[in-house]
mmCIF file of all heavy atoms in Angstrom:
data_model
loop_
_atom_site.group_PDB
_atom_site.id
_atom_site.type_symbol
_atom_site.label_atom_id
_atom_site.label_comp_id
_atom_site.label_asym_id
_atom_site.label_seq_id
_atom_site.Cartn_x
_atom_site.Cartn_y
_atom_site.Cartn_z
ATOM 1 N N LEU Y 979 -26.099 51.434 -19.322
ATOM 2 C CA LEU Y 979 -25.980 52.896 -19.341
ATOM 3 C C LEU Y 979 -24.536 53.311 -19.627
ATOM 4 O O LEU Y 979 -24.285 54.148 -20.507
ATOM 5 C CB LEU Y 979 -26.437 53.478 -18.007
ATOM 6 C CG LEU Y 979 -26.248 54.992 -17.836
ATOM 7 C CD1 LEU Y 979 -27.047 55.760 -18.890
ATOM 8 C CD2 LEU Y 979 -26.647 55.429 -16.422
ATOM 9 N N LEU Y 990 -21.493 62.660 -21.290
ATOM 10 C CA LEU Y 990 -22.923 62.896 -21.102
ATOM 11 C C LEU Y 990 -23.101 64.254 -20.437
ATOM 12 O O LEU Y 990 -22.576 64.487 -19.346
ATOM 13 C CB LEU Y 990 -23.551 61.795 -20.230
ATOM 14 C CG LEU Y 990 -25.067 61.913 -20.047
ATOM 15 C CD1 LEU Y 990 -25.791 61.765 -21.399
ATOM 16 C CD2 LEU Y 990 -25.585 60.880 -19.055
ATOM 17 N N ILE Y 992 -25.968 67.089 -19.251
ATOM 18 C CA ILE Y 992 -27.361 67.435 -18.974
ATOM 19 C C ILE Y 992 -27.355 68.777 -18.261
ATOM 20 O O ILE Y 992 -26.858 68.892 -17.134
ATOM 21 C CB ILE Y 992 -28.070 66.376 -18.106
ATOM 22 C CG1 ILE Y 992 -27.945 64.981 -18.732
ATOM 23 C CG2 ILE Y 992 -29.530 66.732 -17.911
ATOM 24 C CD1 ILE Y 992 -28.531 63.870 -17.887
ATOM 25 N N GLY Y 993 -27.859 69.791 -18.907
ATOM 26 C CA GLY Y 993 -27.846 71.123 -18.333
ATOM 27 C C GLY Y 993 -26.431 71.597 -18.079
ATOM 28 O O GLY Y 993 -25.578 71.560 -18.965
ATOM 29 N N THR Y 995 -24.327 70.189 -16.052
ATOM 30 C CA THR Y 995 -23.507 69.098 -15.525
ATOM 31 C C THR Y 995 -23.007 68.205 -16.659
ATOM 32 O O THR Y 995 -23.811 67.668 -17.431
ATOM 33 C CB THR Y 995 -24.298 68.240 -14.522
ATOM 34 O OG1 THR Y 995 -24.833 69.088 -13.488
ATOM 35 C CG2 THR Y 995 -23.415 67.164 -13.901
ATOM 36 N N GLU Y 1335 -21.683 53.161 -13.032
ATOM 37 C CA GLU Y 1335 -23.064 53.645 -13.215
ATOM 38 C C GLU Y 1335 -23.596 54.273 -11.938
ATOM 39 O O GLU Y 1335 -24.193 55.361 -11.965
ATOM 40 C CB GLU Y 1335 -23.979 52.495 -13.635
ATOM 41 C CG GLU Y 1335 -25.448 52.920 -13.728
ATOM 42 C CD GLU Y 1335 -26.372 51.804 -14.172
ATOM 43 O OE1 GLU Y 1335 -26.040 51.111 -15.167
ATOM 44 O OE2 GLU Y 1335 -27.438 51.628 -13.539
ATOM 45 N N ASP Y 1336 -23.388 53.612 -10.804
ATOM 46 C CA ASP Y 1336 -23.856 54.168 -9.533
ATOM 47 C C ASP Y 1336 -23.251 55.537 -9.280
ATOM 48 O O ASP Y 1336 -23.935 56.460 -8.814
ATOM 49 C CB ASP Y 1336 -23.478 53.227 -8.378
ATOM 50 C CG ASP Y 1336 -24.227 51.907 -8.409
ATOM 51 O OD1 ASP Y 1336 -25.236 51.806 -9.132
ATOM 52 O OD2 ASP Y 1336 -23.784 50.975 -7.696
ATOM 53 N N LEU Y 1338 -22.034 57.688 -11.533
ATOM 54 C CA LEU Y 1338 -22.565 58.636 -12.510
ATOM 55 C C LEU Y 1338 -23.968 59.106 -12.109
ATOM 56 O O LEU Y 1338 -24.271 60.316 -12.145
ATOM 57 C CB LEU Y 1338 -22.585 57.949 -13.877
ATOM 58 C CG LEU Y 1338 -22.889 58.770 -15.116
ATOM 59 C CD1 LEU Y 1338 -22.091 58.238 -16.297
ATOM 60 C CD2 LEU Y 1338 -24.372 58.705 -15.444
ATOM 61 N N LEU Y 1339 -24.817 58.173 -11.726
ATOM 62 C CA LEU Y 1339 -26.181 58.536 -11.310
ATOM 63 C C LEU Y 1339 -26.163 59.380 -10.042
ATOM 64 O O LEU Y 1339 -26.985 60.289 -9.876
ATOM 65 C CB LEU Y 1339 -27.014 57.276 -11.095
ATOM 66 C CG LEU Y 1339 -27.352 56.465 -12.353
ATOM 67 C CD1 LEU Y 1339 -28.047 55.170 -11.979
ATOM 68 C CD2 LEU Y 1339 -28.230 57.285 -13.307
ATOM 69 N N ARG Y 1340 -25.217 59.074 -9.146
ATOM 70 C CA ARG Y 1340 -25.119 59.848 -7.905
ATOM 71 C C ARG Y 1340 -24.710 61.285 -8.196
ATOM 72 O O ARG Y 1340 -25.239 62.221 -7.593
ATOM 73 C CB ARG Y 1340 -24.090 59.176 -6.979
ATOM 74 C CG ARG Y 1340 -23.889 59.886 -5.643
ATOM 75 C CD ARG Y 1340 -25.107 59.788 -4.775
ATOM 76 N NE ARG Y 1340 -24.833 60.288 -3.438
ATOM 77 C CZ ARG Y 1340 -25.762 60.627 -2.564
ATOM 78 N NH1 ARG Y 1340 -27.051 60.514 -2.879
ATOM 79 N NH2 ARG Y 1340 -25.442 61.070 -1.367
ATOM 80 N N ILE Y 1341 -23.777 61.474 -9.111
ATOM 81 C CA ILE Y 1341 -23.355 62.837 -9.469
ATOM 82 C C ILE Y 1341 -24.542 63.646 -9.991
ATOM 83 O O ILE Y 1341 -24.817 64.756 -9.521
ATOM 84 C CB ILE Y 1341 -22.246 62.794 -10.540
ATOM 85 C CG1 ILE Y 1341 -20.956 62.241 -9.956
ATOM 86 C CG2 ILE Y 1341 -22.005 64.188 -11.133
ATOM 87 C CD1 ILE Y 1341 -19.910 61.902 -11.005
ATOM 88 N N PHE Y 1342 -25.242 63.080 -10.969
ATOM 89 C CA PHE Y 1342 -26.384 63.805 -11.531
ATOM 90 C C PHE Y 1342 -27.487 64.004 -10.494
ATOM 91 O O PHE Y 1342 -28.143 65.051 -10.459
ATOM 92 C CB PHE Y 1342 -26.924 63.073 -12.766
ATOM 93 C CG PHE Y 1342 -26.100 63.289 -13.999
ATOM 94 C CD1 PHE Y 1342 -25.338 62.270 -14.546
ATOM 95 C CD2 PHE Y 1342 -26.077 64.531 -14.634
ATOM 96 C CE1 PHE Y 1342 -24.580 62.476 -15.691
ATOM 97 C CE2 PHE Y 1342 -25.325 64.754 -15.769
ATOM 98 C CZ PHE Y 1342 -24.566 63.717 -16.306
ATOM 99 N N GLY Y 1343 -27.688 62.988 -9.638
ATOM 100 C CA GLY Y 1343 -28.708 63.120 -8.602
ATOM 101 C C GLY Y 1343 -28.421 64.262 -7.653
ATOM 102 O O GLY Y 1343 -29.323 65.023 -7.265
ATOM 103 N N LEU Y 1344 -27.163 64.416 -7.265
ATOM 104 C CA LEU Y 1344 -26.784 65.514 -6.374
ATOM 105 C C LEU Y 1344 -26.924 66.871 -7.056
ATOM 106 O O LEU Y 1344 -27.063 67.899 -6.374
ATOM 107 C CB LEU Y 1344 -25.337 65.325 -5.903
ATOM 108 C CG LEU Y 1344 -25.073 64.143 -4.961
ATOM 109 C CD1 LEU Y 1344 -23.587 63.990 -4.683
ATOM 110 C CD2 LEU Y 1344 -25.837 64.316 -3.651
ATOM 111 N N ARG Y 1345 -26.917 66.855 -8.368
ATOM 112 C CA ARG Y 1345 -27.094 68.100 -9.131
ATOM 113 C C ARG Y 1345 -28.554 68.317 -9.534
ATOM 114 O O ARG Y 1345 -28.869 69.168 -10.367
ATOM 115 C CB ARG Y 1345 -26.205 68.060 -10.375
ATOM 116 C CG ARG Y 1345 -24.716 67.921 -10.101
ATOM 117 C CD ARG Y 1345 -24.038 69.209 -9.782
ATOM 118 N NE ARG Y 1345 -23.975 70.092 -10.948
ATOM 119 C CZ ARG Y 1345 -23.429 71.308 -10.945
ATOM 120 N NH1 ARG Y 1345 -22.906 71.783 -9.822
ATOM 121 N NH2 ARG Y 1345 -23.400 72.040 -12.039
ATOM 122 N N GLY Y 1346 -29.467 67.524 -8.958
ATOM 123 C CA GLY Y 1346 -30.896 67.714 -9.186
ATOM 124 C C GLY Y 1346 -31.442 67.037 -10.424
ATOM 125 O O GLY Y 1346 -32.525 67.387 -10.908
ATOM 126 N N ILE Y 1347 -30.737 66.056 -10.962
ATOM 127 C CA ILE Y 1347 -31.158 65.374 -12.193
ATOM 128 C C ILE Y 1347 -31.400 63.902 -11.851
ATOM 129 O O ILE Y 1347 -30.474 63.200 -11.446
ATOM 130 C CB ILE Y 1347 -30.073 65.497 -13.277
ATOM 131 C CG1 ILE Y 1347 -29.778 66.981 -13.546
ATOM 132 C CG2 ILE Y 1347 -30.480 64.777 -14.556
ATOM 133 C CD1 ILE Y 1347 -28.444 67.227 -14.217
ATOM 134 N N ASP Y 1348 -32.628 63.432 -11.995
ATOM 135 C CA ASP Y 1348 -32.938 62.080 -11.541
ATOM 136 C C ASP Y 1348 -32.535 61.023 -12.573
ATOM 137 O O ASP Y 1348 -32.147 61.327 -13.709
ATOM 138 C CB ASP Y 1348 -34.424 61.942 -11.163
ATOM 139 C CG ASP Y 1348 -35.364 62.143 -12.347
ATOM 140 O OD1 ASP Y 1348 -34.978 61.886 -13.506
ATOM 141 O OD2 ASP Y 1348 -36.524 62.543 -12.102
ATOM 142 N N GLU Y 1349 -32.641 59.758 -12.172
ATOM 143 C CA GLU Y 1349 -32.190 58.660 -12.997
ATOM 144 C C GLU Y 1349 -32.927 58.575 -14.328
ATOM 145 O O GLU Y 1349 -32.320 58.293 -15.369
ATOM 146 C CB GLU Y 1349 -32.345 57.327 -12.243
ATOM 147 C CG GLU Y 1349 -31.863 56.120 -13.014
ATOM 148 C CD GLU Y 1349 -31.908 54.834 -12.217
ATOM 149 O OE1 GLU Y 1349 -31.991 54.909 -10.971
ATOM 150 O OE2 GLU Y 1349 -31.851 53.751 -12.831
ATOM 151 N N ALA Y 1350 -34.213 58.823 -14.314
ATOM 152 C CA ALA Y 1350 -34.992 58.769 -15.558
ATOM 153 C C ALA Y 1350 -34.479 59.786 -16.557
ATOM 154 O O ALA Y 1350 -34.381 59.499 -17.770
ATOM 155 C CB ALA Y 1350 -36.472 59.013 -15.251
ATOM 156 N N GLN Y 1351 -34.123 60.979 -16.094
ATOM 157 C CA GLN Y 1351 -33.588 62.007 -16.983
ATOM 158 C C GLN Y 1351 -32.235 61.592 -17.548
ATOM 159 O O GLN Y 1351 -31.941 61.842 -18.729
ATOM 160 C CB GLN Y 1351 -33.446 63.339 -16.209
ATOM 161 C CG GLN Y 1351 -34.749 64.007 -15.854
ATOM 162 C CD GLN Y 1351 -34.525 65.235 -14.986
ATOM 163 O OE1 GLN Y 1351 -34.253 65.131 -13.782
ATOM 164 N NE2 GLN Y 1351 -34.604 66.404 -15.583
ATOM 165 N N VAL Y 1352 -31.418 60.967 -16.714
ATOM 166 C CA VAL Y 1352 -30.100 60.520 -17.176
ATOM 167 C C VAL Y 1352 -30.238 59.465 -18.253
ATOM 168 O O VAL Y 1352 -29.596 59.542 -19.319
ATOM 169 C CB VAL Y 1352 -29.274 59.962 -15.994
ATOM 170 C CG1 VAL Y 1352 -27.950 59.369 -16.493
ATOM 171 C CG2 VAL Y 1352 -28.999 61.044 -14.968
ATOM 172 N N ARG Y 1353 -31.094 58.494 -18.030
ATOM 173 C CA ARG Y 1353 -31.275 57.431 -19.010
ATOM 174 C C ARG Y 1353 -31.884 57.971 -20.311
ATOM 175 O O ARG Y 1353 -31.514 57.531 -21.401
ATOM 176 C CB ARG Y 1353 -32.136 56.311 -18.416
ATOM 177 C CG ARG Y 1353 -31.452 55.609 -17.246
ATOM 178 C CD ARG Y 1353 -32.174 54.346 -16.815
ATOM 179 N NE ARG Y 1353 -31.490 53.740 -15.673
ATOM 180 C CZ ARG Y 1353 -30.421 52.963 -15.763
ATOM 181 N NH1 ARG Y 1353 -29.896 52.704 -16.947
ATOM 182 N NH2 ARG Y 1353 -29.860 52.462 -14.674
ATOM 183 N N ALA Y 1354 -32.764 58.912 -20.176
ATOM 184 C CA ALA Y 1354 -33.360 59.514 -21.367
ATOM 185 C C ALA Y 1354 -32.307 60.298 -22.161
ATOM 186 O O ALA Y 1354 -32.263 60.224 -23.400
ATOM 187 C CB ALA Y 1354 -34.520 60.427 -20.971
ATOM 188 N N ALA Y 1355 -31.466 61.043 -21.443
ATOM 189 C CA ALA Y 1355 -30.435 61.825 -22.115
ATOM 190 C C ALA Y 1355 -29.438 60.924 -22.830
ATOM 191 O O ALA Y 1355 -28.866 61.310 -23.870
ATOM 192 C CB ALA Y 1355 -29.710 62.711 -21.096
ATOM 193 N N ALA Y 1356 -29.237 59.715 -22.287
ATOM 194 C CA ALA Y 1356 -28.308 58.771 -22.919
ATOM 195 C C ALA Y 1356 -28.969 57.983 -24.050
ATOM 196 O O ALA Y 1356 -28.295 57.230 -24.753
ATOM 197 C CB ALA Y 1356 -27.768 57.801 -21.857
ATOM 198 N N LEU Y 1358 -31.554 55.828 -23.513
ATOM 199 C CA LEU Y 1358 -32.084 54.569 -22.994
ATOM 200 C C LEU Y 1358 -33.515 54.772 -22.516
ATOM 201 O O LEU Y 1358 -33.788 54.882 -21.314
ATOM 202 C CB LEU Y 1358 -31.196 54.048 -21.854
ATOM 203 C CG LEU Y 1358 -29.796 53.591 -22.235
ATOM 204 C CD1 LEU Y 1358 -29.027 53.193 -20.988
ATOM 205 C CD2 LEU Y 1358 -29.856 52.411 -23.200
ATOM 206 N N VAL Y 1359 -34.438 54.845 -23.441
ATOM 207 C CA VAL Y 1359 -35.850 55.037 -23.075
ATOM 208 C C VAL Y 1359 -36.702 53.991 -23.775
ATOM 209 O O VAL Y 1359 -36.293 53.389 -24.757
ATOM 210 C CB VAL Y 1359 -36.344 56.452 -23.468
ATOM 211 C CG1 VAL Y 1359 -35.672 57.496 -22.603
ATOM 212 C CG2 VAL Y 1359 -36.066 56.744 -24.946
#
Side-chain angles (χ1 to χ4, degrees):
L979 175 61
L990 183 63
I992 306 176
T995 305
E1335 175 179 313
D1336 292 345
L1338 189 146
L1339 291 174
R1340 180 68 171 163
I1341 291 168
F1342 282 110
L1344 292 174
R1345 300 277 291 180
I1347 303 160
D1348 64 27
E1349 182 175 342
Q1351 290 175 284
V1352 175
R1353 295 190 181 278
L1358 292 176
V1359 291

